[in-house]
C-alpha cells in the first residue's frame, strides 16, 4: 500500500469515526461511507443494505443517488449476489458477471458483496460494483472489510442488555428514515425540477446549511404545510411553507405566494409586508444578478420565519459586505441587500462562483411599529460563513 | 427469496383476515404464542388519533392509558417512526421513560408491550400495541411475524381509506416513495393522500404500483390540479 493511499484511508476513517461520535444521522453517515468507499477502493458504485427483520434486505444508502443505480442495488438486495451474501453470511464475489445480468448491462463487470456483522448477527450487506472484472486486491479487501465493520457500528449505537430488541428498533428506524428521504427527494424533484440524485444533493446541502439532521429536514419537507396541522411546528421541527423555483416572469406571482404563505403564520399586516418585501427583493436580486432564475425555500422554525433565496452564480465579489449606511438612490443589488438587512433579524450569505445562497431570519414575535418593519438586531455586521461578509 | 416469503405471508394474511383490520388483530393474538393481546390505534385527518380495536380488557386499558397520559410505547412509536419493544415494564429503564404508564399498565396486568408503527415514511396510519402478561422479548421469528401482521394491517387501513383499490400492491421500492413525494407536490396534498392517489391510479390502470411510480419518476405521468395554476 502506498503511503498516499494509507494517508487517504486513515483520513477517511478519521472523518467517519468523528461523525459516529457525534449525534449522527444514519442515512447521511452511510451515504458518506459509501462515497468514501468508492474513493478508497477500486470500485465504481457502493450500496449499503440492511436486514429489514422480515427476512429480507433493503437499500439504506448508495454512493450515488441516481435512480438507476438505486434500482440496481434494490434488485441485488432482493435476488442477487448481495441477497446471497446475506443468506450465507459470508462474502461473495462474482469476478465476471454474466452478460445478461442487469448489473453487467448497466456497465459493471464484477460484484463484491460483504456481510455487515454485529456480534453473532449479519445485519446487512455492503455491495460493491466494479467496472473491471476480477477479485479485489488484498489492500482493497481489507479496507472494504473495515468499512463493513464501521457500517455495523453505525447501525447499532447502543449496547443494551436486550441488544437484539434495541437493534431491531434501530434498524427499523433507519429504514423509516430512508423512506422519508425518498419521499422528500420526490417533493424536491417536483418543486425544483431536479433529477433524483440532484434532489438528494440539494436536500443534503440544505440540511447542512441550516445545521440540522438530514432525516429531520427530509421529514419536514415530506410533511409539508397542510391544515389541519397547526402552522406552529413541534419543538425541534420546522414547517416547510414554500419551496419553488422562479424567474423574471413569475416574480409578481411569487410575491403574492409569499404574502399568502406568511399571512397564515401570524405576522401582522406591516410585518407581512416587510418580510414579503425582503424576500421578494432577494428574489429580484437573484434574477437580476444571479443568472435569471432562482430558488426559494421558506420555512418556520423555533419561533422565526426563514427564507433561503438561491441563484446559480456568478456569486458576489470576494469580500463583499452589506453596507450599514443607506446607499444612494441608484438601483442595484447593494440597495436591495441593505434594505433586506434592515428588515431581517439575521442575514447570512453563502456565496461562491456556483451561486449565492441568502439566508434570512425574521422573528415571529418581534414587536414592530411603523414601516418598513425593522426586527430586533442581535448583532451588527460581522463575519458570516461562506467566505464573504455581509 | 426470503423477502418474497415475507411478501407472500403479508398477502396471505390480508386475504385470510381482511378486509376487517380488527379480525386481523385478533388473528395476530391467536397466532403468536408470545402475545396475549393487541390494540390498534389509528390516525385519521378527521378524528386524529383514536383507538380502533382492543382484543381484551388489558389491551383496552393500555390504549386508554396512553391516550390519557400522553406517554407510552405507542406514543413513542408514533412520534419516532420505529418499533418500541418494551420487554419488561418493571425494568428501571422503561419506568423512567414512562413513569405513569408503566405503573398503571403493570397494575392492569401487562408486563411487556411491543408497539409497531404503521408508517410509510411520513405517512402515519397508526400503531399496533401487542402486550404480554409476562416479561420477555419478542423472539426472532415472532418479531418478523408481528411485523408481517403490521404490514398487513397497513395494507388493510390503506384499502379502507380508498375503497375498491384492492390490497395486492405491497411494495417498498424507492421509486414508489419518490413518486409519492412528487404527487404530493403536484397536487399540493399531504403525503398520505398522495400515497392513496398513487395506489388508486395503479389499481384503476390495472398496473403495478412500481410501474406507475416509475412513470411518475420518469415524468411520463403527471397528476394535475383541476384548476388553473396560481403559484409559481
Amino acid at each position: 500500500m502506498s503511503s498516499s493511499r494509507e494517508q487517504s484511508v486513515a483520513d477517511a476513517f478519521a472523518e467517519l469515526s468523528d461523525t459516529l461520535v457525534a449525534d449522527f444521522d444514519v442515512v447521511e453517515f452511510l451515504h458518506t461511507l459509501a462515497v468514501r468507499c468508492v474513493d478508497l477502493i477500486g470500485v465504481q458504485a457502493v450500496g449499503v443494505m440492511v436486514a429489514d427483520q422480515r427476512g429480507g434486505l433493503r437499500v439504506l444508502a448508495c454512493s450515488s443517488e441516481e435512480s438507476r443505480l438505486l434500482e440496481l442495488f434494490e434488485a441485488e438486495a432482493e435476488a442477487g449476489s448481495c441477497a446471497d451474501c446475506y443468506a450465507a453470511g459470508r462474502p461473495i464475489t462474482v469476478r465476471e458477471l454474466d452478460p445478461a445480468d442487469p448489473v453487467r448491462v448497466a456497465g459493471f463487470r464484477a460484484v463484491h458483496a460483504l456481510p455487515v456483522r454485529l456480534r453473532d448477527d449479519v445485519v446487512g450487506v455492503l455491495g460493491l460494483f466494479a467496472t473491471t472484472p476480477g477479485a479485489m486486491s488484498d489492500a482493497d479487501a481489507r479496507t472494504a472489510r473495515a468499512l463493513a465493520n464501521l457500517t455495523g457500528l453505525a447501525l447499532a449505537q447502543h449496547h443494551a442488555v436486550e441488544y437484539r430488541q434495541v437493534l431491531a428498533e434501530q434498524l427499523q428506524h433507519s429504514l423509516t428514515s430512508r423512506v422519508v428521504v425518498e419521499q422528500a427527494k420526490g417533493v424536491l424533484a417536483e418543486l425544483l425540477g431536479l433529477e433524483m440524485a440532484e434532489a438528494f444533493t440539494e436536500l443534503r446541502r440544505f440540511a447542512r446549511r441550516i445545521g440540522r439532521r438530514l432525516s429531520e429536514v427530509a421529514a419536514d419537507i415530506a410533511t409539508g404545510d397542510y391544515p389541519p396541522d397547526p402552522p406552529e411546528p413541534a419543538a425541534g421541527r420546522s414547517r416547510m411553507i414554500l419551496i419553488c423555483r422562479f424567474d423574471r416572469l413569475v416574480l409578481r406571482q411569487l410575491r403574492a405566494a409569499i404574502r399568502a404563505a406568511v399571512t397564515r403564520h401570524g405576522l401582522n399586516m406591516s410585518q407581512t409586508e416587510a418580510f414579503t418585501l425582503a424576500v421578494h427583493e432577494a428574489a429580484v436580486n437573484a434574477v437580476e444578478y444571479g443568472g435569471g432564475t432562482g430558488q426559494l425555500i421558506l420555512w418556520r422554525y423555533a419561533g422565526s420565519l426563514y427564507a433561503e433565496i438561491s441563484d446559480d452564480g456568478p456569486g458576489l465579489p470576494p469580500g463583499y459586505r452589506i453596507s450599514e449606511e443607506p446607499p444612494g438612490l441608484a438601483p442595484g443589488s447593494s440597495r436591495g441587500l441593505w434594505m433586506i438587512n434592515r428588515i431581517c433579524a439575521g442575514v447570512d450569505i453563502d456565496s461562491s462562483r456556483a451561486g449565492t445562497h441568502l439566508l434570512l431570519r425574521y422573528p415571529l414575535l418581534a414587536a414592530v411599529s411603523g414601516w418598513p418593519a425593522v426586527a430586533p438586531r442581535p448583532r451588527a455586521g460581522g463575519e458570516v460563513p461562506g467566505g464573504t461578509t455581509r | 427469496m426470503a423477502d418474497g416469503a415475507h411478501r407472500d405471508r403479508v398477502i396471505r394474511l390480508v386475504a385470510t383476515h381482511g378486509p376487517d383490520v380488527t379480525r386481523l388483530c385478533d388473528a395476530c393474538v391467536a397466532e403468536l404464542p408470545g402475545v396475549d393481546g393487541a390494540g390498534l390505534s389509528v390516525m385519521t385527518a378527521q378524528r386524529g388519533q383514536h383507538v380502533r380495536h382492543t382484543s381484551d380488557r388489558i389491551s383496552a386499558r393500555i390504549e386508554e392509558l396512553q391516550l390519557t397520559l400522553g406517554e407510552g410505547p405507542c406514543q413513542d412509536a408514533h412520534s419516532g417512526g420505529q418499533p418500541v419493544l418494551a420487554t419488561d415494564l418493571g425494568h428501571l429503564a422503561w419506568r423512567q421513560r414512562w413513569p405513569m404508564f408503566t405503573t398503571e399498565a403493570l397494575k392492569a396486568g401487562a408486563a411487556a408491550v411491543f408497539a409497531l408503527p404503521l408508517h410509510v415514511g411520513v405517512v402515519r396510519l397508526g400503531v399496533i400495541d401487542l402486550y404480554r402478561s409476562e416479561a420477555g422479548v419478542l423472539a426472532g421469528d415472532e418479531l418478523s411475524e408481528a411485523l408481517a401482521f403490521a404490514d398487513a394491517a397497513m395494507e388493510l387501513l390503506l384499502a379502507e381509506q380508498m375503497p375498491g383499490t384492492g390490497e395486492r400492491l405491497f411494495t417498498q421500492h424507492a421509486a414508489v416513495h419518490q413518486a409519492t413525494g412528487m404527487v404530493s407536490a403536484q397536487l399540493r396534498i399531504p403525503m398520505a393522500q398522495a400515497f392513496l392517489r398513487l395506489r388508486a391510479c395503479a389499481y384503476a390502470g390495472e398496473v403495478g404500483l412500481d410501474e406507475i411510480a416509475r412513470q411518475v419518476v420518469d415524468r411520463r405521468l403527471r397528476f394535475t390540479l383541476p384548476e388553473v395554476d396560481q403559484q409559481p
Side-chain angles (χ1 to χ4, degrees), chain A residues 48 52 59-60 169-171 176 181 208 261 264 280 302 327 360 366 369:
Chain A
V48 182
D52 68 359
V59 180
L60 203 53
E169 291 179 0
Q170 289 179 342
L171 290 178
T176 298
V181 166
R208 288 187 170 186
R264 184 168 127 74
H280 182 259
L360 313 181
S369 59

Side-chain angles (χ1 to χ4, degrees), chain A residues 52-58 65 67 70-71 74 77-80 83-84 87 161-162 164-166 168-170 172-173 176 178-180 182-196 218-223 226-228 237 242-246 250 253-254 257 260, chain B residues 1-3 5-6 9 45 79-87 91 94 97 114 117 119-124 136-140 143-145 147-148 150-151 154 170 172-175 177-191 195 214 217 219 222 230-232:
Chain A
D52 68 359
Q53 261 120 37
R54 292 158 169 83
L57 273 181
R58 295 233 322 254
E65 290 282 318
S67 294
L70 210 55
E71 281 172 18
E74 279 181 345
E78 276 164 33
D84 295 345
V161 186
E162 297 298 353
R164 283 210 172 77
Q165 304 278 286
V166 177
E169 291 179 0
Q170 289 179 342
Q172 291 299 312
H173 179 72
T176 298
R178 181 69 222 185
V179 172
V180 171
E182 296 298 351
Q183 290 171 338
K185 276 165 67 181
V187 170
L188 291 181
E190 176 63 28
L191 295 177
L192 302 177
L194 302 172
E195 292 308 311
M196 287 303 159
D220 293 340
I221 289 172
T223 303
Y226 296 103
R237 301 293 301 274
L242 193 59
I243 301 173
C244 65
R245 282 204 69 82
F246 56 83
V250 298
Q253 291 100 304
L254 181 72
Chain B
M1 272 322 295
D3 191 34
H6 173 77
R9 185 153 60 177
S79 58
Q82 66 177 64
V84 175
L85 309 172
T87 49
H91 193 279
W94 300 113
R97 185 150 158 190
F114 311 101
H119 288 190
V120 184
V122 299
V123 177
R124 301 157 153 217
V137 299
L138 207 52
L143 176 62
S144 70
E145 277 182 46
L147 288 169
D151 288 345
M154 206 143 63
F170 187 79
Q172 278 290 4
H173 288 140
H177 308 309
Q178 293 164 0
T180 309
M182 289 180 72
V183 171
S184 158
Q186 285 166 4
L187 298 177
R188 288 180 215 125
I189 54 177
M191 204 62 73
F195 195 46
R214 197 145 295 129
V217 171
R219 294 183 159 92
R222 220 187 128 72
Q230 284 299 312
Q231 292 197 351

Side-chain angles (χ1 to χ4, degrees), chain A residues 66-297:
Chain A
E66 196 198 332
S67 294
R68 194 182 54 98
L69 188 67
L70 210 55
E71 281 172 18
L72 275 184
F73 277 116
E74 279 181 345
E76 271 288 307
E78 276 164 33
S81 312
C82 294
D84 295 345
C85 164
Y86 175 61
R90 59 180 174 76
I92 287 186
T93 286
V94 181
R95 292 171 185 224
E96 178 74 276
L97 286 164
D98 188 273
D101 192 306
V103 181
R104 171 83 181 256
V105 173
F108 300 100
R109 298 289 294 277
V111 173
H112 312 280
L114 287 88
V116 173
R117 290 177 189 284
L118 214 55
R119 302 194 191 176
D120 302 330
D121 301 299
V122 177
V123 297
V125 169
L126 191 63
L128 316 171
F129 293 170
T131 52
T132 48
M136 275 191 286
S137 73
D138 286 350
D140 282 347
R142 267 200 306 277
T143 308
R145 218 161 38 233
L147 286 162
N149 291 340
L150 205 53
T151 304
L153 289 177
L155 289 172
Q157 276 294 287
H158 301 280
H159 302 278
V161 186
E162 297 298 353
Y163 143 81
R164 283 210 172 77
Q165 304 278 286
V166 177
L167 178 63
E169 291 179 0
Q170 289 179 342
L171 290 178
Q172 291 299 312
H173 179 72
S174 60
L175 288 170
T176 298
S177 298
R178 181 69 222 185
V179 172
V180 171
V181 166
E182 296 298 351
Q183 290 171 338
K185 276 165 67 181
V187 170
L188 291 181
E190 176 63 28
L191 295 177
L192 302 177
L194 302 172
E195 292 308 311
M196 287 303 159
E198 297 170 328
F200 181 79
T201 306
E202 177 59 16
L203 176 64
R204 199 152 170 257
R205 179 202 66 79
F206 180 64
R208 288 187 170 186
R209 164 80 157 139
I210 62 177
R212 298 187 54 217
R213 291 163 56 140
L214 181 80
S215 315
E216 284 171 11
V217 174
D220 293 340
I221 289 172
T223 303
D225 182 28
Y226 296 103
D229 288 348
E232 171 78 49
R237 301 293 301 274
S238 60
R239 178 84 61 221
M240 306 306 297
I241 303 172
L242 193 59
I243 301 173
C244 65
R245 282 204 69 82
F246 56 83
D247 60 23
R248 188 184 307 276
L249 298 174
V250 298
L251 279 175
R252 266 169 60 103
Q253 291 100 304
L254 181 72
R255 191 172 179 139
I258 298 163
R259 185 181 288 118
V262 303
T263 301
R264 184 168 127 74
H265 289 266
L267 295 186
N268 67 31
M269 200 191 287
S270 69
Q271 291 171 319
T272 298
E273 287 310 316
F275 185 63
T276 303
L277 177 69
V279 177
H280 182 259
E281 199 61 31
V284 170
N285 274 351
V287 166
E288 296 285 334
Y289 305 98
T293 61
Q295 165 186 308
L296 168 66
I297 303 178

